[in-house]
Amino acid sequence: MSPSPDLPADAPLGPVLVMGAGSVGCFVGGCLQAAGVHVEFVGRGHRLAALQASGLHLTDQDGRDQRIPPARLRLHEQVSADLKPSLVLLCVKSGATADSARELQERLPAGTTVVSLQNGMQNAQLASQAAPALEVVPGMVAFNVAEGPDGHFHRGTAGQLAAQDTPALRLWQAHFARAGLPLALHAELRNMQWGKLLLNLNNPVNALSGLPLRAQLQDAAWRREFAALMEEALNVMAHAGVRPARTTPLPWRLLVRVLRWPTPVFRVVARRMLRMDHLARSSMADDLANGRPTEIDELCGEIVRLAHSVNLPAPLNRAMVARIQTLSTAPTRRSL
């Protein structure tokens, strides 16, 4: 489906509401605003205060360097009934999904499109259950965003945005492309999300390492730990009939082997995987460093639940959940 011939591909479609002004929300929303889209941000008071003081500074590994001064940011602690967005980007942490979706339903017109740009497999479903009057669409962010001081958000790895294909989102693709955020639409996103989850099993490893992602992936011991989590997850998925889409140049089983090779060989074979800058790190590393709840339950915990559904153990992923929860101030949100 193409945009109406009466509507140019780059014509304004109305405001975008970013629900969750965290790393992903600030980067994606900021890039859209820098490209001329009207963006409204909803976030916690401490984050909004920082943005009011410093504005947004957006950079990436490809040379982007954009600033949005505080006076141009539209910041809110809650969704106002006066807001009538054409598109909502749901970017809150997983534990806040249901409450945020209910708030959106209370304040926004029925049928508003809400794209879940969150980790894990269940958030779009949780949001849809909490807000059945809204059109909730699963999405994913295939790149890493690190938060720095003074409103600085940096994309340090390659990757695109992706979402389930809908007519409403097709109208937005030109706007995302103009913002330097290509939006790939898929008839079936589920297997893509499983593929992303496999890569995200490195998030807790990176958080424990205390290293930037590139340095951590060049450390054989940490790489082997990532490989072990991924291999266990692949075995569980195979038993459960899950076929994760390939989101890396190497097939999944070969990638597990390559991760275990000596570092000099790994650097050569996985050079595309290492195309990231020194600022890149996992969001879980930021969460642990700042005493925030982590999403370990939506990553390794998802593998544990899938294993339980097919009567298999997943001791490595279960142990990782326990390790991160011990270090985190976050309460366990779901039993494993």
Side-chain angles (χ1 to χ4, degrees):
M1 175 178 176
S2 301
S4 163
D6 299 325
L7 181 68
D10 60 351
L13 296 175
V16 169
L17 172 61
V18 173
M19 188 66 172
S23 296
V24 166
C26 283
F27 185 82
V28 174
C31 290
L32 287 170
Q33 180 167 336
V37 176
H38 178 131
V39 179
E40 307 276 349
F41 295 88
V42 175
R44 297 180 181 273
H46 70 278
R47 173 58 58 75
L48 300 185
L51 294 175
Q52 286 169 340
S54 303
L56 274 175
H57 182 198
L58 310 170
T59 59
D60 66 21
Q61 63 173 170
D62 298 319
R64 179 195 298 267
D65 193 341
Q66 297 171 310
R67 292 181 183 268
I68 303 176
R72 288 185 53 210
L73 295 174
R74 304 170 185 90
L75 308 173
H76 313 269
E77 289 196 43
Q78 60 183 8
V79 180
S80 168
D82 296 333
L83 295 177
K84 298 293 187 288
S86 295
L87 179 67
V88 177
L89 304 179
L90 185 59
C91 302
V92 298
K93 292 292 186 181
S94 298
T97 297
D99 287 343
S100 296
R102 281 190 285 267
E103 181 179 350
L104 290 169
Q105 178 163 273
E106 288 172 3
R107 309 290 173 84
L108 301 184
T112 300
T113 298
V114 178
V115 182
S116 167
L117 293 181
Q118 301 166 278
N119 282 329
M121 302 297 300
Q122 309 301 330
N123 281 304
Q125 182 180 352
L126 289 172
S128 185
Q129 290 170 348
L134 304 179
E135 184 187 0
V136 180
V137 181
M140 55 178 265
V141 181
F143 51 79
N144 166 273
V145 179
E147 179 182 356
D150 301 324
H152 184 195
F153 296 91
H154 178 79
R155 176 180 66 79
T157 62
Q160 292 186 327
L161 299 177
Q164 193 85 22
D165 188 9
T166 71
L169 287 182
R170 292 176 208 168
L171 296 176
W172 276 99
Q173 282 184 293
H175 296 271
F176 278 94
R178 194 171 68 245
L181 299 169
L183 174 63
L185 298 179
H186 299 268
E188 171 51 57
L189 191 70
R190 191 80 175 161
N191 288 340
M192 295 289 296
Q193 290 176 296
W194 280 116
K196 187 199 173 191
L197 190 148
L198 280 172
L199 289 179
N200 281 351
L201 294 179
N202 189 53
N203 285 12
V205 179
N206 178 251
L208 291 172
S209 76
L211 298 169
L213 275 167
R214 197 169 191 276
Q216 176 244 311
L217 286 170
Q218 294 185 82
D219 183 295
W222 292 116
R223 217 166 49 244
R224 285 194 296 269
E225 190 157 358
F226 175 29
L229 291 172
M230 185 184 290
E231 183 174 48
E232 182 176 84
L234 285 168
N235 291 338
V236 169
M237 289 179 184
H239 278 81
V242 172
R243 295 186 174 183
R246 198 170 112 187
T247 58
T248 67
L250 300 176
W252 292 117
R253 295 285 181 179
L254 178 56
L255 178 57
V256 169
R257 292 171 54 194
V258 169
L259 286 168
R260 289 171 167 150
W261 287 354
T263 298
V265 181
F266 171 78
R267 286 196 188 109
V268 173
V269 176
R271 59 187 178 276
R272 287 179 62 183
M273 189 176 184
L274 292 173
R275 285 179 186 168
M276 59 184 73
D277 60 42
H278 69 284
L279 293 176
R281 60 183 181 271
S282 74
S283 59
M284 194 172 293
D286 285 341
D287 291 338
L288 280 183
N290 291 289
R292 296 191 296 249
T294 75
E295 293 185 309
I296 190 63
D297 196 48
E298 283 67 41
L299 301 179
C300 295
E302 193 67 54
I303 300 302
V304 175
R305 284 187 291 278
L306 184 64
H308 180 74
S309 73
V310 291
N311 297 313
L312 284 179
L316 299 179
N317 280 274
R318 182 182 290 275
M320 184 59 79
V321 172
R323 289 168 70 184
I324 296 297
Q325 287 179 343
T326 297
L327 294 173
S328 172
T329 59
T332 303
R333 291 188 292 276
R334 261 185 258 156
S335 65
L336 297 177

